[in-house]
Amino acid sequence: MFTIPFNSSSATLSNVGGKGYNLSILSRESTKLPNISVPSGFIITTTAYDNFIKENLHLLQLIEGVDDHLVASSSTDNDNNDIANLESISSMIQSTFRECTLSKELKDEIEERLLDISGSSSSSSSSSSSSSSEECYYAVR
């Protein structure tokens, strides 16, 4: 399973991380608290992230390069160079991240969750028309 609904009791710190785990608790508890409302949503699991990294090892190598850079730069006194180098590495990571692909399984599961949230019972692509004129908004963290 690559995604877990917010209100799922199967969310744990190890499979969804700290933010996801706390959001899951809040979502489940919100049904008992009239002043708290948590919209429908889902969390992408750490398993999905691990698989994504395994499928895109070049991204992991760039990320690990930041650690190497930080260790090497801790012995120098040139902060301006370090900042410029980190900004350059950060730009490379962002660019590489955008070029990476998601597995078909993860894409399909995310699409299914999005269709569940939007109230659509159709399994067609997101470009299909819906009978509702209400727009859906998403927060990605």
Side-chain angles (χ1 to χ4, degrees):
M1 181 179 296
F2 294 129
T3 64
I4 295 177
F6 284 167
N7 62 358
S8 174
S9 60
S10 65
T12 65
L13 189 57
S14 64
N15 70 1
V16 297
K19 288 179 186 177
Y21 180 62
N22 287 318
L23 184 56
S24 178
I25 291 171
L26 185 61
S27 179
R28 289 191 308 267
E29 294 298 315
S30 71
T31 61
K32 303 172 195 169
L33 304 169
N35 295 333
I36 295 179
S37 175
V38 177
S40 298
F42 61 94
I43 306 156
I44 297 176
T45 65
T46 56
T47 299
Y49 174 77
D50 290 341
N51 286 352
F52 174 78
I53 290 296
K54 287 177 189 171
E55 294 165 359
N56 296 282
L57 285 176
H58 56 291
L59 179 63
L60 179 61
Q61 292 167 344
L62 276 175
I63 293 169
E64 288 173 343
V66 172
D67 287 338
D68 295 341
H69 174 78
L70 291 174
V71 169
S73 68
S74 66
S75 62
T76 67
D77 292 328
N78 193 345
D79 288 341
N80 288 338
N81 255 357
D82 291 340
I83 291 170
N85 287 338
L86 284 174
E87 287 174 349
S88 174
I89 292 170
S90 176
S91 292
M92 286 190 322
I93 291 171
Q94 290 175 35
S95 175
T96 302
F97 192 87
R98 285 185 201 102
E99 294 168 4
C100 292
T101 58
L102 299 176
S103 69
K104 179 178 177 357
E105 295 82 13
L106 179 55
K107 284 181 189 178
D108 290 348
E109 197 167 324
I110 289 172
E111 183 176 291
E112 184 178 323
R113 295 286 187 200
L114 290 171
L115 289 172
D116 289 345
I117 289 170
S118 69
S120 172
S121 60
S122 168
S123 61
S124 63
S125 73
S126 60
S127 63
S128 67
S129 62
S130 171
S131 60
S132 171
S133 62
E134 190 174 320
E135 291 186 45
C136 290
Y137 297 94
Y138 303 97
V140 179
R141 306 271 188 281

